[in-house]
Amino acid sequence: MSDILNKIVQTKHEEVALRRSKIPMEAMRADAESRVLTRDFEAALRRKISNGQAAVIAEIKKASPSKGLLREEFIPADIAQSYAYGDGKISAACLSVLTDETYFQGGTDYLKQARASCDLPVLRKDFMIDIYQIYESRAMGADCVLLIAACLDDAQMAEFEAAARSLGMAVLVEVHDAAEMQRALKLKTPLLGVNNRNLRTFEVSLDTTLDLSKELPADRLLITESGIATKEDVQRMRDSGVQAFLVGEAFMRAAEPGEALAQLFSD
């Protein structure tokens, strides 16, 4: 685990402990279990692919530790609607909303606002290190949670996945290399995200996705993350059989993120 990831995880432990002290686990679980109307995240991705389009998880992201503030006028509901519409022909399949406050200037309310403004399924993008966050995710309205293999051991991933699935949520497992992918393949979820950013050097290479895709079983859906910036990047992935993408920073500086998405993924 890189130094920055270690730092984020430590902060996350402190934040979750504080939230647990305010809303106990039993109350959070009861709240989560009362919310039964999830949107089918996996089906939304596969529907785009079956229609011959790229399946895009479009990210709503205000800032990042490396790039700083990405978008001055940040209105999650407007961004979500823009993604959902696109250019009327090409649009997002799902949303990803950053909820980490300390490092990404995200928030729970951002996810709620985005989800309420459109019909797209929503991924809670955060650093899951405690099962409390799984129940918290459903309570705030998330339809899918992200599990980062680099932050979790096998037992934690299995426990978190089981809890998420019991609540009707999808699970996207993010990996950075072949060893992490083999760990992820022990889980039941068909959604596997490959982050093209090297955790040690922070360099981005699309070869990471292409290399790992060769070892992926046919029943899994690979989602490429990080480094998709040009139409050539998209075409390279699609020519190699990769049809699902998680993209955020490339759209956040655009006046209309949905139009930027449509332009990037048009033929």
Side-chain angles (χ1 to χ4, degrees), residues 4 16 26 39 45 73 76-77 96 123 131-132 148 150 163 177 193 200 207 210 228 238 263:
I4 182 60
V16 173
E26 295 76 13
R39 299 170 184 172
L45 295 172
E73 186 179 356
S96 168
L123 166 73
I131 196 167
Y132 182 88
I148 303 174
D177 55 36
R200 295 175 181 81
D207 289 339
L210 299 178
I228 303 297
R238 299 194 71 184
Q263 187 174 33

Side-chain angles (χ1 to χ4, degrees), residues 33-221:
E33 290 175 343
S34 73
R35 300 173 186 264
V36 296
L37 300 177
T38 53
R39 299 170 184 172
D40 195 328
F41 196 91
E42 180 190 349
L45 295 172
R46 293 195 184 277
R47 192 158 49 245
K48 287 285 189 183
I49 295 170
S50 67
N51 289 336
Q53 294 188 2
V56 183
I57 305 171
E59 198 149 84
I60 297 177
K61 180 179 183 179
K62 185 176 183 178
S64 76
S66 60
K67 302 287 182 62
L69 185 67
L70 298 173
R71 190 176 185 86
E72 191 75 44
E73 186 179 356
F74 187 78
I75 305 174
D78 290 353
I79 298 168
Q81 289 177 13
S82 182
Y83 282 146
Y85 180 76
D87 65 353
K89 296 179 181 179
I90 299 173
S91 60
C94 303
L95 301 177
S96 168
V97 182
L98 266 293
T99 60
D100 174 80
E101 296 182 19
T102 304
Y103 298 94
F104 290 86
Q105 297 184 37
T108 297
D109 286 344
Y110 293 161
L111 187 147
K112 293 178 179 178
Q113 292 161 16
R115 191 176 189 273
S117 73
C118 69
D119 294 329
L120 299 184
V122 180
L123 166 73
R124 181 190 181 187
K125 185 92 175 283
D126 210 318
F127 300 84
M128 302 293 166
I129 48 80
D130 191 302
I131 196 167
Y132 182 88
Q133 295 167 284
I134 305 300
Y135 294 103
E136 183 182 58
S137 298
R138 181 79 280 268
M140 71 176 67
D143 304 291
C144 182
V145 292
L146 178 74
L147 302 183
I148 303 174
C151 298
L152 303 166
D153 61 32
D154 289 358
Q156 287 174 310
M157 287 202 294
E159 180 188 20
F160 294 2
E161 180 195 39
R165 289 167 67 92
S166 75
L167 295 167
M169 289 191 293
V171 176
L172 171 58
V173 183
E174 178 179 288
V175 305
H176 296 83
D177 55 36
E180 289 182 1
M181 188 176 82
Q182 291 307 311
R183 293 174 55 217
L185 291 176
K186 297 175 185 177
L187 301 175
K188 296 178 180 179
T189 178
L191 304 180
L192 190 142
V194 176
N195 193 321
N196 295 304
R197 188 178 302 278
N198 187 297
L199 280 176
R200 295 175 181 81
T201 65
F202 296 103
E203 294 179 352
V204 175
S205 172
L206 299 184
D207 289 339
T208 304
T209 288
L210 299 178
D211 290 344
L212 294 184
S213 68
K214 299 170 186 175
E215 308 299 324
L216 196 73
D219 63 336
R220 302 299 173 107
L221 178 57

